[in-house]
Amino acid sequence: MATMATTAVQTSSVGVPLRITLQRVERRRKLRAFGLVLPLLLFIVIAFVMPIGRMMFDAVHDDTLLVLMPKTTAALSVWDGKDLPDESAYAALAGDLKEAWSQKTAGRIGERMNYELSGVASEVKSSARKASMLSAGPYKAAMIDISSIWGQREVWSLLKRGRSAYTAFYLLRSADFQYGPESQIVASPPENAIFRDIFLRTLGISIGVTAATLLLGFPLAYLLATLPARTSNLLMMAILTSFFTSVLVRTTAWVVLLQDHGLINETLMALHILSQPAELIFNRFGTVLAMTHIQLPFTLLPIYSVMKSISPSHVRAARSLGAGPFYAFWKVYFPQTLPGIAAGCLLTFILCLGYYITPALVGGPGDMMVSNFVATYTNEQLNWGMASALGAILLTATLLLYFVFNKLVGLDQIRMG
Amino acid sequence: MDLRPGLKKPQGGDCPLVGGVPVATHAPGSLKQTCVNDAFVKFSGIQKTYDGETLVVKNLNLDIAQGEFLTMLGPSGSGKTTTLMMLAGFEVPTQGSILLGGRSIGGMPPHKRDIGMVFQNYALFPHMTVEENLAFPLKVRKLGKPEIEVRVKRALDMVRLGVQSKRRPGQLSGGQQQRVALARALVFEPNLVLMDEPLGALDKQLREEMQLEIKHIHDNLGITVVYVTHDQGEALTMSDRIAVFNDGVIQQLATPAELYERPQNPFVAQFIGENNRLNGKVIALNGTTCTVEIPGAGNVQALAVNVEMVGRPTVLSLRPERVKLNPTPGSLPNVFSARVAEVIYLGDHVRVRMSVGGRDDFVVKLSNSEGVAHVEPGAAMTVGWRAEDCRALAAS
Ligand SMILES: Nc1ncnc2c1ncn2[C@@H]1O[C@H](COP(=O)(O)OP(=O)(O)O)[C@@H](O)[C@H]1O
Ligand SMILES: [Mg+2]
């Protein structure tokens, strides 16, 4: 019997092989599970994967010149870049500009060129207007006569780079590099080289806020986890109330408190501790303070929930084994809170990297973070390329940090609760 | 095996030496209560309340001799853990004092008491390996590295866990974790070890194995153990003496045999072993025995344990295995007619539930060797018992 069972194909009661029956059942189960997550999957794809993919794409993709100046970019494919291009390129340029003038796209061309060579926008526009009045060639001298920019090699280099729909310009600019006159990569001039500072500032503020929330949150979490339930519930309510208040409200509350004629300065001056108002807001101090306030629960809650799960008998055991209160805490309790600390700090740090509203409201010009620039480029300058490049770098840096963190700490070590 | 060659368990039940002179001697097996004057641990007049309203421990007086294995046995919530925690220093008595080795340990913090402790859920440090867990108390005591290594190894060998030393507690089975906890409580060679239901989470077979193992370790090291359990079998197996707790009060403090054979009150009789309770009234007192009237059944001759006077209600306690079926007429003072209600076969013995005197919860235990075939539901027969086996206790 035993050998029969192992050699013969097992069949279920109706004669279908057992393996097939199992597969059918499994398939039905899998389909049902998939059906359940389908709406979420669609939502994530539409609201998350596609916009982010698009943003990453926009960081390196720009076909403005290729589309709007097709003749010029095509004519420049044979240009060696040493001297000015020959007559045929100028003829193509005049043709493209005429077309642009009639299609009213000269403004866009000018703007695009202006990103890389500031000041050329108006020249391009007026050239288009004037070119539309040119009847016949030769065009080279005529164009240079219309605007001196057409006699500059770097302008032609820029147009030649426009042959490709893909450009590294935005990413380079985000790292304080740009293209030189011969399309070589050079450091940005000081007035453009602001982005490394911005990234470092964003990193610094995030680290500072994370550290501050940890310093404030850890003792509070410990208190919450060890107090009797009634008291700790009350405290928790207090923390969550501020958690549930909108970020905007809380940030403006800080403005009310900290401004020159705010509550704190008025009080200190009324008590004659200060003779003139201290600068508490619209600077780094105000930014970090308000962000710390907002982020505190994010750091605290994972630590708290991990602390809740640590059995009080561990510290008791340590005490009974001869450890003093501090030693027992440090060697037995604290190491067990590390997964919570890691989770809370990672959460706060990553959220800080993307902060926008708080620095905008309570920070000074020197406290703007990467997201503020992303917002400016999207909302005011309509420079999608720069916005996307900054966003893409921020996203990549965040993912990178996340993976480094994973290697060092191990995400399976993290416990959110 | 021997962690502390210097300290041997006092042989033959000797009392601890006081100033080098044996205080008293007594035969093995006799009560150690006789040498409580020099108790190693002494609770006197301890009261404890958590909320200021109810006393969780009520006027506890308990002396524990050096080298003794004392078990606190009682139902959940009876105050055993609280008592243990007061001894360990994690709870402060509301009133009374605790002496350890003759010194009051009132204000002494837990880490200065040098008391080993095994917790119910083991309380092993999850972020340390087995080895590090064991080295913890030694590092705290600033022992040298080689010394720590030697001691850790010895302790691991004692509980037969040498090969698992590099693992984390989470990678060990329940029984192995239990052994680690035990080794950790012993590795720094405390004189007193407290255990709070250490075997509660283990399955039956492992529990019985560990009971013997703990007992052997206790015998070999000569340490004093205060053990807490709610399992009477465990208490009977391991202890020198058992303190039966109920409702914050020690109901009886005695050796296992004494406790089983001579329970002093209905609670102890009920809690330790199985027990037939018969409620009645004392109608005559004659020296060590008395006559008790059981309503609906008749008069029973019983041992007068704590009945003060005629007319008082009493509870008779009768062990099921002391009941004889169909005794020879005239051989026993108590004989009643009975009808078998239910027979439960339990392998080595058979439990028979009978109706006697209008009640049908009278239980008789028959050894399987006695030819129990004729006992069938509905069968009529007589049951009888000796006066000494039936203890008249004060009704509570
Ligand atoms: N920390 C505490 N706070 C308040 N009440 C407690 C505390 N610990 C124990 N109790 C109460 O004291 C009583 C005795 O508990 P305990 O000593 O743990 O009993 P046992 O160990 O015998 O089960 C129980 O009613 C329990 O609810
Ligand atoms: Mg308990």
Side-chain angles (χ1 to χ4, degrees):
Chain A
M1 272 311 282
T3 48
M4 268 199 58
T6 49
T7 52
V9 173
Q10 294 277 307
T11 58
S12 65
S13 54
V14 289
V16 184
L18 209 50
R19 197 168 45 82
I20 306 273
T21 320
L22 176 69
Q23 270 173 4
R24 268 186 212 158
V25 174
E26 289 281 291
R27 190 161 54 227
R28 230 173 292 150
R29 210 172 48 80
K30 278 181 193 159
L31 273 177
R32 199 167 46 221
F34 185 71
L36 285 174
V37 296
L38 193 62
L40 179 66
L41 196 68
L42 283 176
F43 178 78
I44 288 179
V45 167
I46 291 170
F48 197 70
V49 177
M50 290 201 330
I52 287 187
R54 182 63 212 237
M55 180 199 76
M56 300 288 269
F57 183 64
D58 277 349
V60 292
H61 179 262
D62 186 341
D63 56 3
T64 315
L65 295 179
L66 182 64
V67 172
L68 298 182
M69 303 190 70
K71 297 193 204 100
T72 317
T73 45
L76 284 176
S77 59
V78 292
W79 181 47
D80 61 1
K82 284 197 185 104
D83 287 311
L84 289 177
D86 55 19
E87 173 63 22
S88 64
Y90 279 90
L93 173 71
D96 280 337
L97 285 178
K98 274 181 196 168
E99 178 73 13
W101 182 250
S102 65
Q103 299 289 326
K104 299 196 168 39
T105 53
R108 277 179 62 199
I109 297 169
E111 233 167 74
R112 169 65 187 90
M113 291 178 68
N114 200 56
Y115 290 161
E116 302 200 33
L117 298 169
S118 63
V120 300
S122 54
E123 293 293 322
V124 173
K125 252 191 191 161
S126 65
S127 302
R129 180 168 48 81
K130 289 172 187 161
S132 67
M133 291 178 283
L134 283 180
S135 47
Y139 291 103
K140 185 165 181 171
M143 286 309 294
I144 293 174
D145 193 42
I146 284 174
S147 170
S148 64
I149 61 165
W150 306 117
Q152 290 170 14
R153 230 162 21 120
E154 48 195 326
V155 174
W156 287 101
S157 292
L158 168 57
L159 287 172
K160 185 175 177 175
R161 288 200 296 277
R163 263 181 321 144
S164 164
Y166 294 91
T167 173
F169 164 72
Y170 297 114
L171 288 174
L172 286 173
R173 172 59 70 84
S174 300
D176 291 349
F177 291 108
Q178 63 185 39
Y179 289 111
E182 270 113 36
S183 288
Q184 79 279 36
I185 292 169
V186 296
S188 295
E191 71 268 18
N192 285 342
I194 53 171
F195 294 102
R196 277 183 223 169
D197 272 355
I198 293 166
F199 278 109
L200 284 179
R201 177 192 305 158
T202 304
L203 203 69
I205 290 179
S206 301
I207 289 173
V209 171
T210 306
T213 55
L214 179 60
L215 284 178
L216 294 172
F218 189 89
L220 192 55
Y222 183 72
L223 204 64
L224 279 170
T226 48
L227 277 179
R230 221 153 42 96
T231 332
S232 76
N233 281 348
L234 219 69
L235 249 178
M236 190 53 113
M237 288 275 273
I239 291 165
L240 288 184
T241 311
S242 85
F243 190 43
F244 292 152
T245 314
S246 112
V247 172
L248 198 58
V249 171
R250 278 190 283 166
T251 306
T252 32
W254 281 114
V255 178
V256 173
L257 273 180
L258 299 179
Q259 62 191 331
D260 280 1
H261 295 284
L263 203 59
I264 290 178
N265 272 323
E266 292 286 322
T267 311
L268 289 179
M269 286 198 295
L271 295 173
H272 298 289
I273 294 170
L274 293 179
S275 55
Q276 56 189 32
E279 276 182 42
L280 299 175
I281 201 164
F282 308 125
N283 56 17
R284 191 61 56 85
F285 172 79
T287 311
V288 172
L289 184 68
M291 282 176 71
T292 302
H293 175 217
I294 293 162
Q295 284 303 125
L296 188 61
F298 291 93
T299 311
L300 178 141
L301 289 175
I303 298 179
Y304 165 74
S305 84
V306 166
M307 282 178 169
K308 262 302 217 211
S309 70
I310 300 175
S311 163
S313 69
H314 288 165
V315 169
R316 286 190 163 182
R319 298 293 307 277
S320 82
L321 293 170
F326 181 76
Y327 192 85
F329 176 85
W330 184 243
K331 290 287 184 185
V332 173
Y333 192 85
F334 181 75
Q336 295 190 56
T337 63
L338 284 176
I341 292 180
C345 286
L346 186 69
L347 198 61
T348 285
F349 183 75
I350 287 179
L351 286 174
C352 281
L353 287 179
Y355 251 68
Y356 161 63
I357 193 78
T358 306
L361 289 181
V362 300
D367 304 310
M368 295 300 114
M369 297 170 68
V370 175
S371 297
N372 297 100
F373 284 86
V374 173
T376 313
Y377 279 123
T378 356
N379 298 333
E380 288 165 29
Q381 304 195 4
L382 302 182
N383 185 344
W384 291 89
M386 273 314 287
S388 296
L390 289 174
I393 290 178
L394 193 59
L395 180 65
T396 315
T398 309
L399 289 177
L400 217 69
L401 278 169
Y402 190 70
F403 283 113
V404 168
F405 182 87
N406 187 15
K407 275 274 173 292
L408 290 181
V409 182
L411 285 178
D412 49 336
Q413 291 288 309
I414 286 191
R415 295 217 308 267
M416 292 284 183
Chain B
M1 194 62 187
D2 196 345
L3 274 178
R4 298 177 322 132
L7 183 63
K8 277 285 178 190
K9 186 186 181 177
Q11 293 299 305
D14 277 12
C15 279
L17 298 179
V18 172
V21 183
V23 192
T25 52
H26 50 84
S30 72
L31 293 189
K32 286 183 179 168
Q33 275 158 316
T34 42
C35 38
V36 292
N37 298 340
D38 319 286
F40 181 51
V41 178
K42 188 176 181 69
F43 290 92
S44 50
I46 295 289
Q47 294 196 336
K48 173 71 184 177
T49 172
Y50 285 106
D51 52 9
E53 283 165 23
T54 48
L55 282 176
V56 169
V57 174
K58 298 168 188 158
N59 192 28
L60 175 81
N61 291 292
L62 175 60
D63 293 343
I64 302 166
Q66 183 137 31
E68 183 172 13
F69 196 117
L70 182 121
T71 298
M72 298 181 184
L73 172 67
S76 175
S78 56
K80 310 176 301 282
T81 299
T82 304
T83 307
L84 210 65
M85 288 299 163
M86 287 191 286
L87 180 52
F90 296 116
E91 296 290 351
V92 184
T94 314
Q95 210 164 64
S97 67
I98 304 173
L99 303 186
L100 178 62
R103 283 192 306 145
S104 170
I105 50 172
M108 192 189 278
H111 62 282
K112 299 247 169 75
R113 296 193 179 192
D114 229 19
I115 296 176
M117 188 145 186
V118 182
F119 292 81
Q120 177 161 16
N121 48 10
Y122 317 135
L124 296 176
F125 307 141
H127 57 295
M128 298 183 190
T129 62
V130 167
E131 221 169 38
E132 287 163 348
N133 263 282
L134 261 65
F136 185 86
L138 305 176
K139 273 191 191 147
V140 174
R141 287 173 174 74
K142 303 209 161 52
L143 264 57
K145 228 180 176 171
E147 171 79 10
I148 291 180
E149 259 168 43
V150 170
R151 289 221 208 172
V152 167
K153 188 168 180 318
R154 205 161 24 163
L156 279 174
D157 289 345
M158 179 182 70
V159 294
R160 293 181 278 117
L161 271 179
V163 287
Q164 268 92 7
S165 65
K166 297 278 188 253
R167 298 222 193 143
R168 294 275 168 97
Q171 298 164 310
L172 300 180
S173 71
Q176 290 170 332
Q177 290 185 29
Q178 214 290 323
R179 287 205 174 90
V180 177
L182 189 63
R184 192 180 64 177
L186 295 170
V187 72
F188 61 101
E189 305 182 354
N191 289 323
L192 176 61
V193 177
L194 314 182
M195 305 190 191
D196 190 358
E197 313 213 6
L199 308 181
L202 303 183
D203 60 54
K204 189 166 178 291
Q205 197 179 347
L206 205 54
R207 199 158 63 218
E208 283 166 3
E209 205 175 288
M210 286 304 298
Q211 286 169 5
L212 290 180
E213 205 161 316
I214 292 175
K215 186 73 190 136
H216 291 156
I217 289 173
H218 166 256
D219 290 345
N220 286 327
L221 301 184
I223 45 173
T224 310
V225 175
V226 180
Y227 193 96
V228 163
T229 182
H230 63 259
D231 179 341
Q232 45 135 335
E234 195 164 297
L236 293 175
T237 311
M238 305 173 77
S239 321
D240 291 333
R241 279 193 308 161
I242 299 173
V244 181
F245 272 66
N246 189 36
D247 207 13
V249 174
I250 295 186
Q251 303 286 332
Q252 188 171 352
L253 174 64
T255 62
E258 173 90 4
L259 216 51
Y260 188 82
E261 303 286 344
R262 291 187 279 280
Q264 291 297 316
N265 62 39
F267 177 81
V268 176
Q270 192 67 26
F271 199 73
I272 312 275
E274 223 181 337
N275 179 48
N276 285 307
R277 287 166 71 113
L278 302 168
N279 294 303
K281 198 168 74 179
V282 183
I283 55 170
L285 263 172
N286 24 20
T288 57
T289 63
C290 61
T291 308
V292 175
E293 184 192 3
I294 308 291
N299 290 353
V300 174
Q301 299 297 317
L303 192 67
V305 179
N306 43 22
V307 289
E308 297 108 36
M309 51 192 287
V310 174
R312 284 288 174 85
T314 181
V315 175
L316 297 183
S317 156
L318 175 64
R319 297 289 182 202
E321 70 274 17
R322 300 288 163 88
V323 179
K324 296 254 178 321
L325 290 193
N326 296 328
T328 338
S331 67
L332 292 173
N334 303 305
V335 178
F336 296 89
S337 60
R339 183 173 294 278
V340 178
E342 193 179 11
V343 179
I344 299 165
Y345 183 78
L346 288 161
D348 59 341
H349 72 274
V350 175
R351 266 171 61 99
V352 185
R353 190 165 60 79
M354 298 182 153
S355 54
V356 176
R359 311 173 40 143
D360 61 357
D361 58 355
F362 190 89
V363 175
V364 179
K365 243 188 217 173
L366 299 175
S367 157
N368 202 359
S369 60
E370 292 174 20
V372 292
H374 64 286
V375 184
E376 276 169 8
M381 52 184 62
T382 59
V383 290
W385 58 88
R386 302 188 309 165
E388 309 78 281
D389 288 334
C390 180
R391 299 169 61 80
L393 308 170
S396 50

